[in-house]
Amino acid sequence: MGEFELIERYFKRPAQQAAVGIGDDCAVWTPRPGYQLAFSADMLVEGRHFLSTVSPRSLGHKALAVNLSDLAACGATPRAFLLSLSLPRADEDWLSGFSQGLFALADANGCELIGGDTTRGPLNIAITVMGETPHGQSVLRSTAQTGDDIYVSGHLGDARLALEVFRGHLSVPQAVFDLARARLETPTPRMALGTSLRGVATAMADVSDGLLGDLGHLLKASGVGAQLNLPALSQLMLTRHAWDCPREWLLRCVLSGGDDYELVFTAPPASQHAVEAAALGSGTPITRIGRITPGSGLVLMDDNGDVVQHDYRSFDHFA
């Protein structure tokens, strides 16, 4: 099977929203009046971002999910994406499963594939996604304010837990591993919550490389600091009640785990009811984990309000 037959069989669809889709030198998109376009790109490399044991369908889902999560973090609605795919060979079973997982999530979010590229080489998946927000309503990292509450969506740490089991560093019951593995391999981008927080959240980021790192980027961009509440953080792991998780591992996974694809965001205390309404309306659990402080840096506070010293670090591709 050649390159163009591969595209035709597994990835080409009639254009729905694009003026010109797959099959020309460029895709063509017409922005809606009164909207701005938001773009993000992510690359997934075998052995670095995913294991060879992941199913093709799950990988197709995750490849798009990690990009949609970036759109959610700025309150954007997904519209279209480009896919660049490097494959060691044209494996029809793999391509069928991958494209099914990819398009299932794309269709659920009204996001169409409009172009890209394929080549032979090590397995590598690169997606550029495009969304839109009403003019001037994108939620940025750089606009958190002193006194804001800090919230996080969903659950943190389970994806890292699965990775540590894969690495042989931890042993957990099979049911715990299955749940954690699902969180690692098929994350849920928080699209409905992201758009519901437009005009409510003061700043927002997605948690892809670990809470400490991604919240740290938000703090640096906004020129503020933060205090985080350890008792609240210790409740964030989905699997925490299903096994006797050592507290040290729990906090390490929650704070520096990565691959969660949840949203961390800030909002003034006066907006608490609006935040709760956005969470309820989008069917997404949220937890208030701390507050924005003057100055810079991030500190962890225990049950007694004392500062906790730690050495947790988030994922860095080049560290």
Side-chain angles (χ1 to χ4, degrees):
M1 179 168 50
E3 175 184 2
F4 296 103
E5 182 185 354
L6 183 157
I7 294 169
E8 186 80 24
R9 185 182 302 183
Y10 295 104
F11 298 108
K12 186 172 182 179
R13 290 171 151 192
Q16 299 295 318
Q17 304 174 76
V20 177
I22 294 174
D24 219 304
D25 288 301
C26 289
V28 179
W29 188 271
T30 305
R32 290 198 293 168
Y35 284 79
Q36 293 176 302
L37 298 181
F39 296 89
S40 184
D42 263 299
M43 182 184 300
L44 298 184
V45 178
E46 184 177 26
R48 189 63 171 172
H49 300 99
F50 62 91
L51 302 174
S52 60
T53 53
V54 66
S55 75
R57 186 181 180 95
S58 294
L59 185 57
H61 171 101
K62 184 170 183 175
L64 183 57
V66 303
N67 285 270
L68 293 180
S69 184
D70 285 330
L71 292 184
C74 71
T77 301
R79 290 302 181 214
F81 68 102
L82 304 172
L83 169 67
S84 293
L85 190 58
S86 170
L87 295 167
R89 61 189 179 280
D91 184 316
E92 295 187 30
D93 289 340
W94 190 95
L95 285 162
S96 177
F98 178 85
S99 60
Q100 287 171 22
L102 181 82
F103 284 128
L105 185 61
D107 292 346
N109 286 277
C111 190
E112 68 174 312
L113 177 60
I114 60 174
D117 190 25
T118 58
T119 190
R120 185 168 184 172
L123 184 54
N124 183 9
I125 305 153
I127 286 180
T128 299
V129 71
M130 180 184 73
E132 63 181 15
T133 57
H135 190 87
Q137 292 188 34
S138 297
V139 188
L140 307 178
R141 293 179 177 180
S142 57
T143 42
Q145 302 294 315
T146 298
D148 282 352
D149 290 323
I150 305 172
Y151 297 87
V152 69
S153 68
H155 303 280
L156 301 180
D158 301 285
R160 174 62 179 271
L161 177 67
L163 184 58
E164 295 301 333
V165 175
F166 273 121
R167 289 172 170 170
H169 297 163
L170 282 174
S171 178
V172 302
Q174 186 64 45
V176 172
F177 175 64
D178 290 343
L179 182 56
R181 183 177 183 176
R183 291 281 296 159
L184 173 66
E185 295 181 346
T186 53
T188 302
R190 303 298 187 177
M191 308 312 303
L193 178 63
T195 55
S196 296
L197 287 171
R198 289 197 301 245
V200 177
T202 50
M204 188 153 53
D206 91 316
V207 182
S208 55
D209 293 329
L211 177 63
L212 288 183
D214 292 310
L215 177 57
H217 297 321
L218 185 155
L219 299 178
K220 183 176 181 180
S222 295
V224 294
Q227 290 182 353
L228 296 186
N229 182 353
L230 272 183
L233 293 169
S234 67
Q235 301 301 308
L236 289 174
M237 187 181 284
L238 182 63
T239 56
R240 69 188 185 281
H241 295 311
W243 70 297
D244 187 18
C245 180
R247 181 177 171 85
E248 166 65 19
W249 270 113
L250 186 153
L251 292 177
R252 188 170 297 279
C253 289
V254 166
L255 290 168
S256 59
D259 269 319
D260 298 299
Y261 300 101
E262 297 289 356
L263 299 179
V264 58
F265 61 95
T266 61
S271 297
Q272 178 182 348
H273 292 308
V275 169
E276 292 172 349
L280 182 63
S282 64
T284 310
I286 59 167
T287 304
R288 190 176 71 84
I289 59 171
R291 65 184 180 89
I292 297 295
T293 59
S296 62
L298 186 156
V299 296
L300 304 180
M301 312 292 290
D302 65 15
D303 307 57
N304 300 317
D306 296 325
V307 175
V308 177
Q309 301 300 321
H310 67 91
D311 63 352
Y312 303 126
R313 298 288 185 272
S314 286
F315 178 76
D316 185 324
H317 287 87
F318 294 97

